[in-house]
Structures are given as structure tokens and as C-alpha cells.
Amino acid sequence: DQEAHYDTALLSLILALGTYEIATRLADFRSSPYLRGAMREFLADFGPAIAIVLMTWVALIAHPVDIDTLRVPATVAPSQARSWFVNPFLVQQKWVWLASIIPAFFISILLYLDQNITARLVNSPDNNLKKGSGYHLDLTVVAFLVGFCSLFGLPWMVAATVRSLSHVNALSVSNTETKESKTSKRVIETRLSSLLVHLLIGVSLLFLSSLQRVPMSVLFGLFLYMGVTSMKGNQFFERLRLWVMDRERYPTHSYIRAIPNKTIHFFTMVQVACLGVLWYIKSSPAGILFPVFIGLLVPVRLALNRYFSPEHLALLDGEKQPEEDEFRVTD
């Protein structure tokens, strides 16, 4: 049994890292000099799907090793013995109606912040989006979806940060420009890709038996790839790297050239502290208060106006690009 346990752990690690490595290498294949341009684009765009298929095939070959696979129901039905429609008027205890206001308040804060934070990241000036953002329209649609899904016991719908950023990256085209600004991103703004993604999600219900064969470790490797991919171009992670980087080898990003290094590091330390508090709260028994602590980031951000200049905060927030006369050699 102990030997089988080691075999399971080793195979799971191989499948997870193999999925991540294949997806990453195929994504980088876009800039490779090999094959035709159309083939490179195909391999880069469908790298994650190819990685899942290949690593699932490896798992099927190693069938004597017992590994966890994706748990999906055999049929489309409610997870509990109930009808599809959830009638709230069947609740006999009237106090439940009032008591539910408390968790509903916290959930509303979480959904509101999750939606708007994701929309803010997607509409970052770095993405050079041309169409309007439509924050209020998006939030209105989310509100109606939450109410509709609640009546049928379905998952609530809200913008997912990692998947949304991965979607933007998949639709982006980078063009080399100058030495100071290595690349300029152009995003192909279309509704067709989102429509096709959700249609394919619906079609996947016809292949539940096949999805049951996908190992969980393969999905973990996919999640790792999506997380690492979403970090690329994120200013927070770029500033974290500055802590262990030679100052003479700092990137030539605009905010690095316009803001003193001490100011950049201090701002990053504040963000790391806030992230640590959020991580602790989410993992503690007080996790239900997690949305409240996310909301408390707003007054924390406002308090930073006392210690940072508005110009530096605008650059660190990615809200603007510095003018030429703001560029300088950092200390």
C-alpha cells in the first residue's frame, strides 16, 4: 500500500508538471522560428487543450496506478433530492428570512468587489482597449444572474480574475516597437470568443463520461499554468522581483524611471502586508469576514495619499503614463 501511495504521488506530480510545461512551451512557440506562422499560432492558442489531452493519455497508459480523476455526475440533475426550482416561500421559520440578511450582505460585498476588481484589471491602460468598459451594465447583468441562479440552486456568476486575464492575454497581439518600450499590446476585442467558450461549456455536458477520465493532477497543472500566465505583465509581481534584482538590471518600465526606488519598494511592502492579512483571514475561522476586509482596502488606499504624491500613486496604480519630463534616473 505504501509503494502504491508513492506511485500515485509521483504520477500525479509528473502529470501536473507535464501539463504546465507543455502548455507553457507551446505558448512560447508563437515566437519560435520553426514551422509556419499559422501552425505556431495554433499550437500557442490551443496549448492548454493539447497539454490536457496528452497528459490524460499518459494517465490512461499508466492505468494500474490509482489516481484521482475529475468527479462529475453521470447525469444532469440537482446535487440533492429536490426539484430544480428552489421556492424560498417554503421556509417555515420566518426568522431565517431576517438572519439570511447577514451572510447576504457579506456575499454582496464579495461579488461586487470581485466583479469590479476583475473589470478594473481587464480594462487596465496596459491592455489598450478601445471599447467602453460598461462597469454598471456588467454589474447589472451579474445582479440579475445571481437572482436567477439562486432560484434554481445554480452557481452564482461573476467575473473570474484569472480566467478573464487569461482570455485577454489570448486575444492580445504584441508588436515590438522601441528599446524603451519593448512591446505594445493590442487586444482583439470581440464577443465571439466569449460566446463560443460558453457554448462549448454547455456542449461539455454531452461528454460527462469522458470528463470523468481526466485526472485531477492534470487540472492542477492547468491551474498552475493559468496562474503563472496571469502574473505576466502584472505590476505587483514585477515590483516584487525588484527586491532581488540588481539595480543596474532593472527593467525600463515607465514607473521605474519616474519614481524613486525607495518609494516603489515601500508601496510594494504595503501591498504585501495587505495580501498577508487577507490570506490569514481567508484561512482562519473568521473567513466569513473576508469580503469586509477586502472592502477595508479602500480606506487603506485612501490613507496612502498622506505618504505618496498623487503622481506617484497614479503611476503605481497604472492609471497613467509619465510624461517625458518626469523620466529620471532612479536612486
Side-chain angles (χ1 to χ4, degrees):
D1 293 340
Q2 188 176 11
E3 183 178 357
H5 175 72
Y6 290 149
D7 292 344
T8 300
L10 179 59
L11 180 60
S12 299
L13 180 62
I14 293 175
L15 295 177
L17 295 181
T19 303
Y20 168 77
E21 190 66 19
I22 292 176
T24 302
R25 296 302 179 185
L26 291 180
D28 295 338
F29 207 80
R30 182 177 280 109
S31 58
S32 173
Y34 303 104
L35 301 179
R36 297 283 185 177
M39 179 58 68
R40 295 197 302 268
E41 292 291 335
F42 174 82
L43 294 176
D45 292 337
F46 293 92
I50 296 174
I52 292 176
V53 173
L54 290 178
M55 287 296 99
T56 302
W57 177 68
V58 172
L60 293 177
I61 294 178
H63 61 86
V65 181
D66 185 21
I67 57 176
D68 292 333
T69 57
L70 181 62
R71 298 179 182 179
V72 294
T75 58
V76 179
S79 57
Q80 299 178 357
R82 62 169 178 83
S83 62
W84 278 102
F85 180 71
V86 179
N87 190 354
F89 296 98
L90 295 179
V91 179
Q92 298 180 355
Q93 297 85 357
K94 299 303 180 183
W95 62 267
V96 175
W97 289 63
L98 296 176
S100 62
I101 295 177
I102 299 176
F105 173 74
F106 292 143
I107 293 174
S108 299
I109 295 177
L110 181 61
L111 294 177
Y112 174 82
L113 293 175
D114 198 0
Q115 171 67 31
N116 281 279
I117 290 174
T118 303
R120 175 64 179 82
L121 293 174
V122 169
N123 290 280
S124 171
D126 295 336
N127 293 330
N128 296 320
L129 299 181
K130 303 300 182 183
K131 297 182 179 179
S133 54
Y135 291 101
H136 300 301
L137 177 60
D138 293 342
L139 196 60
T140 302
V141 174
V142 168
F144 279 108
L145 286 176
V146 168
F148 176 81
C149 294
S150 299
L151 294 176
F152 294 91
L154 299 175
W156 293 323
M157 296 297 170
V158 69
T161 304
V162 174
R163 284 175 288 178
S164 298
L165 293 177
S166 298
H167 189 199
V168 172
N169 292 332
L171 295 176
S172 64
V173 179
S174 299
N175 299 318
T176 302
E177 287 189 341
T178 63
K179 294 181 178 180
E180 294 184 351
S181 179
K182 294 183 179 180
T183 58
S184 63
K185 181 186 291 186
R186 179 178 65 87
V187 178
I188 302 175
E189 301 180 53
T190 174
R191 295 183 176 91
L192 182 60
S193 58
S194 298
L195 177 62
L196 292 177
V197 165
H198 290 86
L199 286 177
L200 290 175
I201 292 176
V203 172
S204 66
L205 297 177
L206 304 176
F207 303 94
L208 294 178
S209 58
S210 299
L211 293 177
Q212 292 175 346
R213 297 176 176 269
V214 179
M216 289 298 300
S217 53
V218 171
L219 298 180
F220 293 152
L222 176 64
F223 297 152
L224 176 62
Y225 165 77
M226 294 176 62
V228 173
T229 302
S230 64
M231 293 180 186
K232 296 180 180 179
N234 187 293
Q235 189 189 114
F236 173 67
F237 293 102
E238 290 177 348
R239 285 188 273 105
L240 284 177
R241 293 172 53 197
L242 300 180
W243 288 0
V244 293
M245 187 179 296
D246 186 356
R247 291 188 177 185
E248 296 181 357
R249 307 298 296 273
Y250 276 6
T252 57
H253 298 308
S254 56
Y255 67 91
I256 295 179
R257 292 180 288 161
I259 305 176
N261 291 329
K262 293 181 179 179
T263 303
I264 296 176
H265 296 328
F266 180 52
F267 186 82
T268 306
M269 290 177 60
V270 173
Q271 287 186 309
V272 171
C274 292
L275 179 61
V277 172
L278 291 177
W279 189 284
Y280 173 78
I281 294 298
K282 185 178 181 297
S283 305
S284 68
I288 191 174
L289 299 177
F290 180 72
V292 177
F293 279 83
I294 293 182
L296 291 177
L297 294 178
V298 176
V300 171
R301 172 60 179 79
L302 295 176
L304 293 180
N305 292 322
R306 300 177 56 183
Y307 306 97
F308 297 89
S309 66
E311 294 77 12
H312 289 170
L313 285 176
L315 292 174
L316 292 171
D317 287 339
E319 295 179 354
K320 73 168 215 175
Q321 296 294 326
E323 303 296 338
E324 287 298 327
D325 56 355
E326 292 184 281
F327 286 135
R328 55 159 197 77
V329 179
T330 54
D331 55 2

Coordinates of all heavy atoms in Angstrom, one line a residue, residues 74-144:
A74 N -23.0 11.6 -13.4 CA -23.3 10.9 -14.7 C -24.4 11.5 -15.5 O -24.5 11.4 -16.7 CB -23.6 9.4 -14.4
T75 N -25.3 12.2 -14.8 CA -26.5 12.9 -15.5 C -26.6 14.3 -15.0 O -26.0 14.7 -14.0 CB -27.8 12.1 -15.1 OG1 -28.0 12.1 -13.7 CG2 -27.7 10.7 -15.7
V76 N -27.3 15.1 -15.7 CA -27.5 16.5 -15.4 C -28.8 16.5 -14.5 O -29.9 16.4 -14.9 CB -27.8 17.4 -16.6 CG1 -28.0 18.8 -16.2 CG2 -26.6 17.3 -17.6
A77 N -28.5 16.8 -13.2 CA -29.6 16.8 -12.2 C -29.1 17.5 -11.0 O -27.9 17.7 -10.8 CB -30.0 15.3 -11.8
P78 N -30.0 18.0 -10.1 CA -29.6 18.7 -8.9 C -28.8 17.7 -8.0 O -29.0 16.5 -8.0 CB -30.9 19.0 -8.2 CG -31.9 19.1 -9.3 CD -31.5 18.0 -10.3
S79 N -27.8 18.3 -7.3 CA -27.0 17.5 -6.4 C -27.7 16.9 -5.2 O -27.2 16.0 -4.6 CB -25.8 18.4 -6.0 OG -26.3 19.5 -5.3
Q80 N -28.8 17.4 -4.9 CA -29.6 16.9 -3.8 C -31.0 16.5 -4.3 O -31.4 16.8 -5.4 CB -29.8 18.0 -2.7 CG -28.5 18.4 -2.1 CD -28.7 19.5 -1.0 OE1 -29.8 19.9 -0.8 NE2 -27.6 19.9 -0.4
A81 N -31.7 15.7 -3.5 CA -33.0 15.2 -3.9 C -34.0 16.4 -3.7 O -34.7 16.5 -2.7 CB -33.4 14.0 -3.0
R82 N -34.1 17.1 -4.7 CA -35.1 18.3 -4.7 C -35.4 18.6 -6.2 O -34.8 18.1 -7.1 CB -34.4 19.5 -4.1 CG -33.2 20.0 -4.8 CD -32.8 21.4 -4.3 NE -31.5 21.8 -5.0 CZ -31.5 22.5 -6.2 NH1 -32.7 22.7 -6.8 NH2 -30.4 22.9 -6.7
S83 N -36.4 19.4 -6.3 CA -36.8 19.9 -7.7 C -35.8 21.0 -8.1 O -35.0 21.5 -7.3 CB -38.2 20.4 -7.7 OG -38.3 21.5 -6.8
W84 N -35.8 21.3 -9.4 CA -34.9 22.3 -9.9 C -35.2 23.6 -9.3 O -34.3 24.4 -9.0 CB -35.1 22.4 -11.4 CG -34.3 21.3 -12.2 CD1 -34.7 20.2 -12.7 CD2 -32.9 21.3 -12.4 NE1 -33.7 19.5 -13.3 CE2 -32.5 20.2 -13.1 CE3 -31.8 22.2 -12.0 CZ2 -31.3 19.8 -13.5 CZ3 -30.5 21.9 -12.4 CH2 -30.3 20.7 -13.1
F85 N -36.5 24.0 -9.1 CA -36.8 25.3 -8.6 C -36.7 25.3 -7.1 O -37.3 24.4 -6.4 CB -38.2 25.7 -9.0 CG -38.7 27.0 -8.5 CD1 -38.1 28.2 -9.0 CD2 -39.6 27.1 -7.5 CE1 -38.5 29.4 -8.6 CE2 -40.0 28.4 -7.1 CZ -39.5 29.5 -7.6
V86 N -36.0 26.3 -6.5 CA -35.9 26.4 -5.1 C -36.9 27.5 -4.6 O -36.7 28.7 -4.9 CB -34.5 26.8 -4.7 CG1 -34.4 27.0 -3.2 CG2 -33.5 25.8 -5.1
N87 N -38.0 27.1 -4.0 CA -39.0 28.0 -3.6 C -38.7 28.6 -2.2 O -38.7 27.9 -1.2 CB -40.3 27.3 -3.5 CG -41.5 28.3 -3.3 OD1 -41.3 29.5 -3.1 ND2 -42.7 27.8 -3.4
P88 N -38.3 29.9 -2.1 CA -38.0 30.5 -0.8 C -39.1 30.6 0.1 O -38.9 30.7 1.3 CB -37.4 31.9 -1.2 CG -38.1 32.2 -2.5 CD -38.2 30.9 -3.2
F89 N -40.4 30.5 -0.4 CA -41.5 30.7 0.5 C -41.9 29.4 1.2 O -42.8 29.4 2.1 CB -42.8 31.1 -0.4 CG -42.6 32.4 -1.0 CD1 -42.2 32.6 -2.3 CD2 -42.8 33.6 -0.2 CE1 -42.1 33.8 -2.9 CE2 -42.7 34.8 -0.8 CZ -42.3 34.9 -2.1
L90 N -41.1 28.3 1.0 CA -41.3 27.1 1.7 C -40.6 27.1 3.1 O -40.8 26.1 3.9 CB -40.8 25.9 0.9 CG -41.5 25.6 -0.4 CD1 -40.9 24.4 -1.1 CD2 -43.0 25.4 -0.2
V91 N -39.8 28.1 3.3 CA -39.1 28.2 4.6 C -40.2 28.5 5.7 O -40.9 29.5 5.7 CB -38.0 29.3 4.6 CG1 -37.4 29.4 6.0 CG2 -37.0 29.0 3.5
Q92 N -40.3 27.6 6.7 CA -41.4 27.8 7.7 C -40.9 28.8 8.8 O -41.7 29.5 9.4 CB -41.7 26.4 8.3 CG -42.3 25.5 7.3 CD -42.7 24.1 7.9 OE1 -42.4 23.9 9.1 NE2 -43.3 23.3 7.1
Q93 N -39.6 28.7 9.2 CA -39.1 29.6 10.2 C -38.9 31.0 9.6 O -38.0 31.2 8.8 CB -37.8 29.1 10.8 CG -38.0 27.8 11.5 CD -37.8 26.6 10.5 OE1 -37.7 26.8 9.3 NE2 -37.9 25.4 11.0
K94 N -39.7 32.0 10.0 CA -39.7 33.3 9.5 C -38.4 34.0 9.9 O -37.9 34.9 9.2 CB -40.9 34.1 10.0 CG -42.2 33.5 9.5 CD -42.3 33.4 8.0 CE -43.6 32.8 7.5 NZ -43.7 32.6 6.1
W95 N -37.8 33.6 11.0 CA -36.6 34.3 11.4 C -35.4 34.0 10.5 O -34.4 34.8 10.4 CB -36.2 33.9 12.8 CG -35.9 32.4 12.9 CD1 -36.7 31.4 13.3 CD2 -34.6 31.7 12.7 NE1 -36.1 30.2 13.3 CE2 -34.8 30.4 12.9 CE3 -33.3 32.2 12.3 CZ2 -33.8 29.4 12.8 CZ3 -32.3 31.3 12.2 CH2 -32.5 29.9 12.4
V96 N -35.5 32.9 9.7 CA -34.5 32.6 8.7 C -34.4 33.8 7.7 O -33.3 34.1 7.2 CB -34.8 31.3 8.0 CG1 -33.7 31.0 6.9 CG2 -34.7 30.2 9.1
W97 N -35.5 34.4 7.3 CA -35.5 35.4 6.3 C -34.7 36.6 6.8 O -33.9 37.2 6.1 CB -36.9 35.9 6.1 CG -37.8 34.9 5.3 CD1 -38.1 33.7 5.7 CD2 -38.3 35.1 4.0 NE1 -38.9 33.1 4.7 CE2 -39.0 33.9 3.7 CE3 -38.4 36.2 3.1 CZ2 -39.7 33.8 2.5 CZ3 -39.0 36.0 1.9 CH2 -39.7 34.8 1.6
L98 N -34.8 37.0 8.1 CA -34.0 38.1 8.7 C -32.6 37.7 8.9 O -31.7 38.5 8.6 CB -34.7 38.5 10.0 CG -36.1 39.1 9.9 CD1 -36.6 39.5 11.3 CD2 -36.1 40.4 9.0
A99 N -32.4 36.5 9.3 CA -31.0 36.0 9.6 C -30.2 35.9 8.3 O -28.9 36.1 8.4 CB -31.0 34.7 10.4
S100 N -30.8 35.6 7.2 CA -30.1 35.5 6.0 C -29.6 36.8 5.4 O -28.7 36.8 4.5 CB -31.0 34.8 4.9 OG -32.1 35.7 4.7
I101 N -30.0 37.9 6.0 CA -29.5 39.2 5.6 C -28.1 39.4 5.8 O -27.3 40.0 5.1 CB -30.4 40.3 6.2 CG1 -31.8 40.3 5.8 CG2 -29.8 41.7 5.9 CD1 -32.7 41.3 6.5
I102 N -27.6 38.8 7.0 CA -26.2 39.0 7.4 C -25.2 38.3 6.4 O -24.4 39.0 5.8 CB -26.0 38.5 8.8 CG1 -26.8 39.2 9.8 CG2 -24.5 38.5 9.2 CD1 -26.7 38.7 11.2
P103 N -25.4 37.0 6.1 CA -24.5 36.4 5.1 C -24.7 37.0 3.7 O -23.8 37.1 2.9 CB -24.8 34.9 5.1 CG -26.2 34.8 5.7 CD -26.3 36.0 6.7
A104 N -26.0 37.4 3.4 CA -26.2 38.0 2.1 C -25.5 39.3 1.9 O -25.0 39.7 0.8 CB -27.7 38.2 1.9
F105 N -25.3 40.1 3.0 CA -24.6 41.3 3.0 C -23.1 41.1 2.6 O -22.5 41.8 1.8 CB -24.7 42.0 4.3 CG -23.9 43.3 4.4 CD1 -24.2 44.4 3.8 CD2 -22.7 43.3 5.2 CE1 -23.4 45.6 3.9 CE2 -22.0 44.4 5.4 CZ -22.3 45.5 4.7
F106 N -22.5 40.1 3.3 CA -21.1 39.8 3.1 C -20.9 39.3 1.6 O -20.0 39.6 0.9 CB -20.6 38.7 4.1 CG -20.6 39.2 5.5 CD1 -20.9 38.4 6.5 CD2 -20.2 40.5 5.7 CE1 -20.8 38.9 7.8 CE2 -20.1 41.0 7.0 CZ -20.4 40.2 8.1
I107 N -21.8 38.4 1.2 CA -21.7 37.9 -0.2 C -21.9 39.0 -1.2 O -21.2 39.0 -2.3 CB -22.8 36.8 -0.4 CG1 -22.4 35.6 0.5 CG2 -22.8 36.3 -1.8 CD1 -23.5 34.5 0.5
S108 N -22.8 39.9 -1.0 CA -22.9 41.0 -1.9 C -21.7 41.8 -2.0 O -21.3 42.3 -3.1 CB -24.1 41.9 -1.4 OG -25.3 41.2 -1.4
I109 N -21.0 42.1 -0.9 CA -19.7 42.8 -0.9 C -18.7 42.0 -1.8 O -18.0 42.6 -2.6 CB -19.2 43.1 0.5 CG1 -20.2 44.0 1.3 CG2 -17.8 43.7 0.5 CD1 -19.8 44.2 2.7
L110 N -18.6 40.7 -1.5 CA -17.6 39.9 -2.2 C -17.9 39.9 -3.7 O -17.0 40.1 -4.5 CB -17.7 38.5 -1.7 CG -16.7 37.5 -2.3 CD1 -15.3 38.0 -2.1 CD2 -16.9 36.1 -1.7
L111 N -19.2 39.7 -4.1 CA -19.5 39.7 -5.5 C -19.2 41.1 -6.2 O -18.7 41.1 -7.3 CB -21.0 39.3 -5.7 CG -21.3 37.9 -5.3 CD1 -22.8 37.7 -5.5 CD2 -20.5 36.9 -6.1
Y112 N -19.6 42.1 -5.5 CA -19.3 43.5 -6.0 C -17.9 43.7 -6.2 O -17.4 44.2 -7.3 CB -19.9 44.5 -5.1 CG -19.6 45.9 -5.5 CD1 -20.4 46.6 -6.4 CD2 -18.6 46.6 -4.9 CE1 -20.1 47.9 -6.8 CE2 -18.3 47.9 -5.2 CZ -19.1 48.6 -6.2 OH -18.8 49.9 -6.5
L113 N -17.0 43.4 -5.2 CA -15.6 43.7 -5.3 C -15.0 42.8 -6.3 O -14.1 43.2 -7.1 CB -15.0 43.6 -4.0 CG -15.4 44.6 -2.9 CD1 -14.8 44.3 -1.6 CD2 -15.0 46.0 -3.4
D114 N -15.3 41.5 -6.3 CA -14.8 40.5 -7.3 C -15.0 41.0 -8.7 O -14.1 40.9 -9.6 CB -15.3 39.1 -7.0 CG -14.4 38.1 -7.6 OD1 -13.4 38.4 -8.2 OD2 -14.8 36.9 -7.5
Q115 N -16.2 41.4 -9.0 CA -16.6 41.8 -10.3 C -15.8 43.1 -10.7 O -15.3 43.1 -11.8 CB -18.1 42.1 -10.4 CG -18.6 42.7 -11.7 CD -18.4 41.8 -12.9 OE1 -18.5 40.6 -12.8 NE2 -18.2 42.4 -14.1
N116 N -15.8 44.0 -9.9 CA -15.2 45.3 -10.2 C -13.7 45.2 -10.2 O -13.0 45.9 -11.1 CB -15.6 46.4 -9.3 CG -17.0 46.9 -9.6 OD1 -17.2 47.7 -10.4 ND2 -18.0 46.4 -8.9
I117 N -13.1 44.5 -9.3 CA -11.6 44.3 -9.4 C -11.2 43.6 -10.7 O -10.2 44.1 -11.3 CB -11.1 43.5 -8.1 CG1 -11.3 44.3 -6.9 CG2 -9.7 43.1 -8.3 CD1 -11.0 43.6 -5.6
T118 N -11.9 42.6 -11.1 CA -11.6 41.9 -12.3 C -11.8 42.8 -13.5 O -10.9 42.9 -14.4 CB -12.5 40.7 -12.5 OG1 -12.3 39.8 -11.4 CG2 -12.1 39.9 -13.7
A119 N -12.9 43.6 -13.5 CA -13.1 44.5 -14.6 C -12.1 45.6 -14.7 O -11.6 46.0 -15.8 CB -14.5 45.1 -14.5
R120 N -11.6 46.0 -13.5 CA -10.5 47.0 -13.5 C -9.2 46.5 -14.0 O -8.5 47.2 -14.8 CB -10.4 47.5 -12.0 CG -9.2 48.5 -11.8 CD -9.4 49.8 -12.5 NE -8.3 50.7 -12.3 CZ -7.2 50.7 -13.0 NH1 -7.0 49.7 -13.9 NH2 -6.2 51.6 -12.8
L121 N -8.9 45.3 -13.7 CA -7.7 44.7 -14.2 C -7.8 44.4 -15.7 O -6.8 44.7 -16.5 CB -7.4 43.4 -13.5 CG -7.0 43.5 -12.0 CD1 -6.9 42.1 -11.4 CD2 -5.7 44.3 -11.8
V122 N -8.9 44.0 -16.2 CA -9.1 43.8 -17.6 C -9.0 45.1 -18.4 O -8.4 45.1 -19.5 CB -10.4 43.1 -17.9 CG1 -10.8 43.0 -19.4 CG2 -10.4 41.6 -17.3
N123 N -9.6 46.1 -17.9 CA -9.6 47.4 -18.5 C -8.4 48.3 -18.2 O -8.4 49.5 -18.3 CB -10.9 48.2 -18.2 CG -12.1 47.6 -18.8 OD1 -12.4 47.8 -20.0 ND2 -12.8 46.8 -18.0
S124 N -7.3 47.6 -17.8 CA -6.1 48.3 -17.5 C -5.6 49.1 -18.7 O -5.7 48.6 -19.8 CB -5.0 47.4 -17.0 OG -3.7 48.0 -16.9
P125 N -5.0 50.3 -18.5 CA -4.4 51.0 -19.7 C -3.4 50.2 -20.4 O -3.2 50.5 -21.6 CB -3.8 52.3 -19.0 CG -4.6 52.5 -17.8 CD -4.9 51.1 -17.3
D126 N -2.7 49.3 -19.8 CA -1.7 48.5 -20.5 C -2.3 47.6 -21.6 O -1.6 47.2 -22.5 CB -1.0 47.6 -19.5 CG -0.2 48.4 -18.5 OD1 0.2 49.5 -18.8 OD2 0.1 47.9 -17.4
N127 N -3.6 47.3 -21.5 CA -4.3 46.5 -22.5 C -4.7 47.3 -23.7 O -5.1 46.7 -24.7 CB -5.5 45.7 -21.9 CG -5.0 44.7 -20.8 OD1 -3.9 44.1 -20.9 ND2 -5.9 44.5 -19.9
N128 N -4.7 48.6 -23.6 CA -5.1 49.5 -24.7 C -6.4 49.1 -25.3 O -6.6 49.0 -26.6 CB -4.0 49.4 -25.8 CG -2.6 49.9 -25.3 OD1 -2.6 50.9 -24.6 ND2 -1.6 49.3 -25.7
L129 N -7.4 48.8 -24.5 CA -8.7 48.5 -25.0 C -9.4 49.8 -25.6 O -9.3 50.9 -25.0 CB -9.6 47.9 -23.9 CG -9.1 46.6 -23.3 CD1 -10.1 46.1 -22.2 CD2 -8.9 45.5 -24.3
K130 N -10.1 49.6 -26.6 CA -10.8 50.7 -27.3 C -12.3 50.9 -27.0 O -12.8 52.0 -26.9 CB -10.6 50.6 -28.8 CG -9.2 50.4 -29.3 CD -8.4 51.7 -28.9 CE -6.9 51.5 -29.4 NZ -6.1 52.7 -29.0
K131 N -12.9 49.8 -26.8 CA -14.4 49.8 -26.5 C -14.6 50.2 -25.0 O -13.8 50.1 -24.2 CB -15.0 48.5 -26.8 CG -14.9 48.0 -28.2 CD -15.6 46.7 -28.4 CE -15.5 46.3 -29.9 NZ -16.1 45.0 -30.2
G132 N -15.8 50.7 -24.8 CA -16.2 51.2 -23.4 C -16.2 50.0 -22.4 O -16.4 48.9 -22.8
S133 N -15.9 50.3 -21.2 CA -15.8 49.3 -20.2 C -17.2 48.8 -19.7 O -17.4 47.6 -19.5 CB -15.1 49.8 -19.0 OG -15.6 51.0 -18.5
G134 N -18.2 49.7 -19.5 CA -19.5 49.2 -19.1 C -19.6 48.6 -17.8 O -20.2 47.6 -17.6
Y135 N -19.0 49.3 -16.8 CA -19.0 48.7 -15.4 C -20.4 48.5 -14.9 O -20.7 47.5 -14.3 CB -18.2 49.6 -14.5 CG -16.7 49.6 -14.7 CD1 -16.1 50.6 -15.4 CD2 -15.9 48.6 -14.3 CE1 -14.7 50.7 -15.7 CE2 -14.5 48.6 -14.5 CZ -13.9 49.6 -15.2 OH -12.6 49.6 -15.5
H136 N -21.2 49.5 -15.0 CA -22.6 49.5 -14.4 C -23.4 48.4 -15.2 O -24.2 47.7 -14.5 CB -23.2 50.8 -14.5 CG -22.5 51.9 -13.8 ND1 -22.3 51.8 -12.4 CD2 -21.9 53.1 -14.2 CE1 -21.6 52.9 -12.0 NE2 -21.4 53.7 -13.1
L137 N -23.3 48.3 -16.5 CA -24.0 47.3 -17.2 C -23.6 45.9 -16.8 O -24.5 45.0 -16.6 CB -23.8 47.5 -18.7 CG -24.5 46.5 -19.6 CD1 -26.0 46.5 -19.4 CD2 -24.2 46.8 -21.1
D138 N -22.3 45.7 -16.7 CA -21.8 44.4 -16.3 C -22.4 44.0 -14.9 O -22.8 42.9 -14.7 CB -20.3 44.4 -16.3 CG -19.7 44.5 -17.7 OD1 -20.5 44.3 -18.7 OD2 -18.5 44.8 -17.8
L139 N -22.3 45.0 -14.0 CA -22.8 44.7 -12.6 C -24.3 44.4 -12.6 O -24.8 43.6 -11.8 CB -22.4 45.8 -11.7 CG -22.5 45.5 -10.2 CD1 -21.5 44.4 -9.8 CD2 -22.1 46.8 -9.4
T140 N -25.0 45.1 -13.5 CA -26.5 44.9 -13.5 C -26.8 43.5 -14.0 O -27.7 42.8 -13.5 CB -27.1 45.9 -14.5 OG1 -26.9 47.2 -14.0 CG2 -28.6 45.7 -14.5
V141 N -26.0 43.0 -15.1 CA -26.2 41.7 -15.6 C -25.9 40.6 -14.5 O -26.6 39.6 -14.3 CB -25.4 41.5 -16.8 CG1 -25.4 40.0 -17.3 CG2 -25.8 42.4 -18.0
V142 N -24.8 40.9 -13.8 CA -24.4 40.0 -12.7 C -25.5 39.9 -11.6 O -25.8 38.8 -11.1 CB -23.1 40.4 -12.1 CG1 -22.8 39.7 -10.8 CG2 -21.9 40.2 -13.0
A143 N -26.1 41.0 -11.3 CA -27.2 41.0 -10.3 C -28.4 40.2 -10.7 O -28.9 39.4 -9.9 CB -27.6 42.5 -10.0
F144 N -28.8 40.3 -12.0 CA -29.9 39.5 -12.5 C -29.5 38.0 -12.5 O -30.3 37.2 -12.2 CB -30.3 40.0 -13.8 CG -31.2 41.2 -13.8 CD1 -30.7 42.4 -14.2 CD2 -32.5 41.1 -13.4 CE1 -31.5 43.6 -14.2 CE2 -33.4 42.2 -13.4 CZ -32.9 43.4 -13.8

